[in-house]
Amino acid sequence: QVTLVESGGGLVPAGGSLRLSCAASGRSLRSNPMGWFRQAPGKEREFVAAITWSGGRTSYADSVKDRFTISRDNARNTVRLQMNNLKPEDTATYYCAARQELELSTFASLYPYWGQGTQVTVSS
C-alpha cells in the first residue's frame, strides 16, 4: 500500500506564495510519475501539474503554467509544488497523487494513489 501525505497549505493574500510538499511511504514510487490536482467546493477535481521520475518532463495546467513549479526529490520520495503569485481562484484543496505506470498523465482517474489533501486559501 502507498501512503501520500500533503503539507504546506494555508491562508495567504493574493500575490503571495506557498510551497506544498507530498511525502510518499510504503511501496516505492521512485520510478513513477507523480502529480498535483485540486478541487474547489462544488467543482470537479482538476489537473494542476505532473512530473516524471527523472524530473526531465513536466506538465502544467494553463492556468498555473507561469506561476507554479513542480519538482521531486526521489531520494526522499517527496514531490514539491512551489506556488507563486497566488490568486483567489487558486483557492482549493490540493491533492498529491501517484501512479504505477511510467507515462505522465493529466487525468485524475489514472492515478490510483492519493493523499488526503491540504487546504489552500487565497484572500482578495
Side-chain angles (χ1 to χ4, degrees), residues 8-21:
L11 174 63
V12 296
S17 298
L18 284 174
R19 181 166 58 230
L20 306 183
S21 294

Side-chain angles (χ1 to χ4, degrees), residues 38 46-50 59-66 68 106:
R38 66 187 183 187
E46 65 177 355
F47 170 76
V48 176
S59 182
Y60 296 92
D62 289 341
S63 60
V64 308
K65 185 171 295 184
D66 296 326
F68 293 8
T106 63

